[in-house]
Amino acid sequence: MQQAGHMAATYEANRSICKYVHSTSRGHEAIQIATGMQLQSWDYACPYYRDDSMLLAMGFTPYELMLQLLAKRDDPASGGRSYYSHPSSLDPEKPIIPHQSSATGMQVVPATGMAQGIRYLEKAGSPLLKTGPKGELPVVLCSLGDGSVTEGEVSEAWQSAILWELPVIYLVQDNEWGISASSEETRVMDAYEYAAGFKGLERMRVDGSNFEECFHAMGAAISYVRQERKPMLVHACVPLLGHHTSGVRKEWYRTEQDLALHGEKDPLPRLRQRLLEIGVEEKDLLAIESDTSKYINLEFDRAKEAFEPTADTVADHIFAPAAVTVEKGNRMPANGNKVMMVDAALHAVEEILHEFPEAIFFGQDVGRRLGGVFREAATLAEKFGDNRVYNTAIQEAYIVGSTAGLSAVGVKPIVEIQFADYLYPGFNQLVTEISKSCYLSNGKFPIQTLIRVPIGAYGGGGPYHSGSVESTLLTIKGIKVVYPSNAADMKGLMKAAFLDPNPVVMLEHKGLYWSKVPGTQGAITVEPDADYVLPLGKGRVVQQAHPRDVKKGDTVCIITYGMGVYWAQAAAAQFPGQIEIIDLRTLFPLDEELIYATVKKHGKCLVLTEEQLNNSFTQALAGRIQRACFKSLDAPVFTLGALDLPAVPINLILENAMLPNPAKVAAAIEELLSY
């Protein structure tokens, strides 16, 4: 406690040096230290940005925390990339802590995902399960402020934890403030009262400024969860003695009376008095105080002098190295059977589940009985059991975000969002937690997850089942996006995406699943062998122009993907020998080498998409082509996509009017050839 107090005071006294925004645990020390002392090295933890006392109690040194405070090169959590008290750790002597974000309440979903993974490993008898020296089972500690409990994703996580009986403790530290908003302004009940509505969630209250009470309470909570394998909430009432952050200072919005009231509950003098009562000598306490002050000053001086990161490391650890870098296996087995895309995907997942016992597959309606609304998971639950293939509630944020926690414990999740239009509730987790984890943990916690998303319009699916979301996804840095257009690519890309140690979103056009759309029979291919993998970031030449026409300068290349491949092929039939078609297959990473070489070869280019065109990935790609290939272009780079409407209308006449089609593609080709 003295260390935490002196650290906070030192930071405050050196504001010009401690220039990066930070929070400290002043007032929260008792509950945090009581928690950190009792977590074991085989446990998992998700602290939040005010938990520096908890980190000290876990064994992190003041110097290590100061390196992060000052964003130094050797900051063990993030290498100078993230804020103070945003840990990530694989230290075998401490609980495992994956990347922690600043978004309040968002850590509850990944933390619950860790507990979900632990329960799976337990039931499977997996050697990946970490246990204590006597076989003690791990627990997950998720720390959060009471103000964040109002986030909807907290509710999603609690529902899942109770339903699946997961070993997770939700420690809610309630200081009655959410930045400048008081509890009276923002809630009708505290977390303890709110949790009463979650049937099956055990809960307790504790005076978070009384160390003894906290120690016994957290010991009981950890013991309960470790033994019973069920979730529990601990609500700790604590004073807020510091600023919300160094940049949002308490005197700006708190009264003298409020500060005095909180000051009366300071856990540090309360612990000091209790130690005197039980016989600790005054001189010993004075020695601790004096020695700690000197120690913290020395460590702060050391941290100030530590090396800064160098600019050449700024792009390190965006991704972990890909597992599949070359195409391998038999794409066209001699006696292979032709399959539709939906079956290629189903077989790929089945083969993955056979080969990797740590792999699981879940989402809405993918479990037993239905096997996916497109039958893309048919029979999998029957073959592998409800423990590995199962339904979730309607909670896209949990489906997406839990994969961060699952990956951290060694489980390899495949999850599905039922339609692309419903991916948006999961964007919070995708942006805040998943995409940033590898980079902000300095490479320690890449997130291996495969997120399947049926996408696209056909047959009157209507405004909430037909949307395209690739441009929105592609604004997120730190994820990969693939978009196959045929069964062979579907299987090879799905295998590579699963094996990739990074997050991959796989967009699967539902109009190509069964090739019901006229002109899409080419999506049905011979099924590759089980060992076939196709590296992400490699495009494919679907159709070549005739060398004679290329030499005459009378050709056009079409850069496209998904349904665009078939619109392009249909239109190209009107221009024999004059059209070369590139199927991107992966939208990020992008095969720029193939794109630019093809454009330079022809001098005329059409970039074709199903998406609404304005401000899209397609327009951005056209701009890049224009810059990279300017000297080789004989015409502007053309783009063609859907009309810029807010949604895909359900009426078939209106749907067809909105979308590209072969006639529209042919008109664009005609115009390009006229240059």
Side-chain angles (χ1 to χ4, degrees):
M1 248 189 231
Q2 282 289 336
Q3 286 185 0
H6 280 290
M7 288 162 69
T10 300
Y11 305 161
E12 182 67 11
N14 292 271
R15 288 171 60 187
S16 62
I17 297 170
C18 305
K19 58 189 175 183
Y20 302 114
V21 66
H22 58 272
S23 297
T24 69
S25 57
R26 281 295 288 124
H28 294 231
E29 300 98 328
I31 186 63
Q32 290 185 18
I33 294 170
T35 302
M37 288 174 69
Q38 298 184 82
L39 291 173
Q40 303 297 328
S41 60
W42 58 90
D43 291 327
Y44 297 79
C46 284
Y48 84 121
Y49 57 79
R50 199 179 296 283
D51 280 350
D52 59 357
S53 284
M54 188 184 296
L55 298 176
L56 290 171
M58 287 180 188
F60 291 90
T61 66
Y63 179 68
E64 289 173 319
L65 298 184
M66 290 170 184
L67 289 175
Q68 188 167 50
L69 172 83
L70 302 177
K72 296 294 187 173
R73 181 193 70 185
D74 296 328
D75 153 33
S78 72
R81 293 184 166 108
S82 198
Y83 308 94
Y84 179 65
S85 193
H86 284 58
S88 59
S89 175
L90 284 168
D91 187 331
E93 302 299 316
K94 300 180 180 71
I96 286 183
I97 305 174
H99 155 68
Q100 299 301 296
S101 77
S102 288
T104 56
M106 295 304 98
Q107 76 273 33
V108 182
V109 167
T112 307
M114 284 198 288
Q116 180 186 348
I118 288 167
R119 282 297 274 162
Y120 171 69
L121 296 176
E122 281 181 59
K123 292 177 180 179
S126 172
L128 296 173
L129 180 68
K130 288 179 57 182
T131 58
K134 298 180 180 179
E136 300 97 328
L137 293 171
V139 301
V140 177
L141 185 283
C142 177
S143 175
L144 64 159
D146 192 274
S148 65
V149 172
T150 51
E151 290 278 7
E153 290 171 35
V154 174
S155 174
E156 291 191 20
W158 288 3
Q159 288 272 6
S160 298
I162 299 162
L163 178 66
W164 296 326
E165 296 188 342
L166 303 183
V168 55
I169 302 159
Y170 301 105
L171 170 60
V172 179
Q173 301 175 54
D174 185 359
N175 61 32
E176 300 183 341
W177 284 96
I179 310 184
S180 68
S182 68
S183 57
E184 290 82 4
E185 292 175 80
T186 57
R187 68 188 191 200
V188 296
M189 64 189 85
D190 63 26
Y192 180 84
E193 295 161 332
Y194 180 54
F198 290 81
K199 183 180 178 181
L201 180 61
E202 290 292 326
R203 60 197 176 114
M204 71 164 74
R205 282 194 195 273
V206 61
D207 179 354
S209 62
N210 182 318
F211 177 77
E212 274 186 291
E213 184 178 329
C214 290
F215 191 84
H216 293 307
M218 289 310 301
I222 292 170
S223 177
Y224 170 82
V225 176
R226 201 180 298 285
Q227 299 301 320
E228 299 298 323
R229 317 309 288 159
K230 293 179 181 179
M232 185 167 195
L233 177 133
V234 179
H235 177 255
C237 300
V238 294
L240 178 60
L241 303 183
H243 306 287
H244 169 69
T245 67
S246 56
V248 182
R249 306 185 62 76
K250 59 187 177 183
E251 61 268 18
W252 294 351
Y253 58 91
R254 295 176 67 185
T255 65
E256 292 290 337
Q257 293 84 352
D258 176 70
L259 292 169
L261 185 65
H262 280 247
E264 292 173 4
K265 301 174 184 176
D266 189 338
L268 188 54
R270 291 183 73 177
L271 178 60
R272 193 183 196 284
Q273 180 59 36
R274 182 63 182 136
L275 291 171
L276 291 171
E277 290 171 2
I278 63 172
V280 178
E281 296 286 338
E282 172 78 16
K283 63 181 177 62
D284 293 331
L285 296 179
L286 291 171
I288 289 172
E289 292 163 8
S290 175
D291 292 347
T292 301
S293 177
K294 295 173 186 174
Y295 170 60
I296 294 303
N297 288 336
L298 287 171
E299 296 301 86
F300 187 68
D301 288 341
R302 280 182 65 205
K304 286 190 297 184
E305 299 304 316
F307 289 109
E308 298 282 350
T310 54
D312 61 354
T313 64
V314 69
D316 292 351
H317 304 301
I318 299 171
F319 292 107
V324 177
T325 56
V326 295
E327 187 172 2
K328 291 182 181 178
N330 192 352
R331 181 182 174 98
M332 291 280 291
N335 298 317
N337 296 316
K338 284 194 169 186
V339 293
M340 295 180 290
M341 279 183 66
V342 70
D343 290 329
L346 173 65
H347 298 164
V349 173
E350 182 173 347
E351 290 164 4
I352 287 167
L353 292 172
H354 268 302
E355 185 175 355
F356 298 94
E358 66 273 30
I360 61 175
F361 180 31
F362 62 92
Q364 295 167 29
D365 298 304
V366 302
R368 198 182 296 266
R369 291 189 296 274
L370 187 59
V373 295
F374 301 103
R375 303 294 289 158
E376 73 284 1
T379 74
L380 292 179
E382 287 82 358
K383 291 177 179 176
F384 297 98
D386 298 329
N387 195 38
R388 296 187 69 190
V389 181
Y390 51 92
N391 295 325
T392 67
I394 299 172
Q395 44 183 217
E396 290 84 2
Y398 187 85
I399 293 168
V400 172
S402 63
T403 65
L406 287 158
S407 178
V409 304
V411 176
K412 294 180 168 62
I414 304 170
V415 300
E416 182 178 306
I417 300 298
Q418 202 160 78
F419 291 93
D421 306 81
Y422 301 134
L423 180 59
Y424 293 103
F427 264 69
N428 221 353
Q429 291 291 327
L430 196 59
V431 173
T432 302
E433 305 294 338
I434 290 175
S435 69
K436 294 177 172 59
S437 181
C438 186
Y439 186 69
L440 293 183
S441 69
N442 217 19
K444 294 190 295 297
F445 285 96
I447 294 174
Q448 180 173 18
T449 179
L450 171 54
I451 302 169
R452 298 181 61 187
V453 184
I455 192 171
Y458 87 101
Y464 291 100
H465 297 81
S466 308
S468 292
V469 299
E470 56 264 36
S471 288
T472 311
L473 282 166
L474 290 164
T475 64
I476 305 170
K477 313 310 173 192
I479 66 171
K480 299 183 180 182
V481 181
V482 300
Y483 202 142
S485 69
N486 61 72
D489 287 349
M490 171 75 89
K491 189 169 186 180
L493 287 169
M494 186 168 286
K495 291 288 187 75
F498 172 80
L499 294 169
D500 201 298
N502 304 289
V504 182
V505 179
M506 189 159 195
L507 302 176
E508 306 171 16
H509 200 293
K510 62 186 196 294
L512 298 177
Y513 267 155
W514 299 292
S515 290
K516 288 184 177 180
V517 178
T520 61
Q521 289 298 302
I524 300 173
T525 70
V526 171
E527 182 173 3
D529 284 341
D531 64 348
Y532 179 64
V533 289
L534 180 61
L536 309 189
K538 297 295 181 182
R540 177 174 73 102
V541 180
V542 175
Q543 176 176 312
Q544 287 187 319
H546 196 286
R548 175 194 64 240
D549 295 290
V550 175
K551 189 175 182 180
K552 287 164 56 181
D554 202 19
T555 56
V556 170
C557 66
I558 301 176
I559 312 297
T560 189
Y561 56 94
M563 189 64 78
V565 172
Y566 301 98
W567 292 327
Q569 285 181 305
Q574 301 177 42
F575 306 91
Q578 293 180 277
I579 308 301
E580 189 146 323
I581 302 170
I582 301 297
D583 181 358
L584 294 175
R585 303 197 289 198
T586 303
L587 307 186
F588 190 88
L590 190 63
D591 193 345
E592 293 185 348
E593 182 179 354
L594 175 62
I595 293 168
Y596 298 155
T598 304
V599 173
K600 289 175 181 177
K601 174 181 172 183
H602 298 282
K604 296 171 185 175
C605 173
L606 168 64
V607 188
L608 173 62
T609 181
E610 182 174 320
E611 272 197 299
Q612 293 93 327
L613 199 56
N614 198 29
N615 298 319
S616 64
F617 158 70
T618 297
Q619 285 191 335
L621 177 55
R624 289 155 69 182
I625 292 171
Q626 204 112 305
R627 180 181 177 89
C629 306
F630 182 76
K631 293 180 180 179
S632 303
L633 290 173
D634 298 320
V637 177
F638 276 31
T639 57
L640 178 62
L643 301 180
D644 292 313
L645 307 178
V648 181
I650 192 168
N651 179 275
L652 283 171
I653 295 172
L654 299 178
E655 179 189 83
N656 291 333
M658 177 187 182
L659 297 176
N661 58 40
K664 293 179 183 179
V665 176
I669 293 171
E670 192 78 57
E671 187 177 352
L672 268 171
L673 287 172
S674 70
Y675 276 85

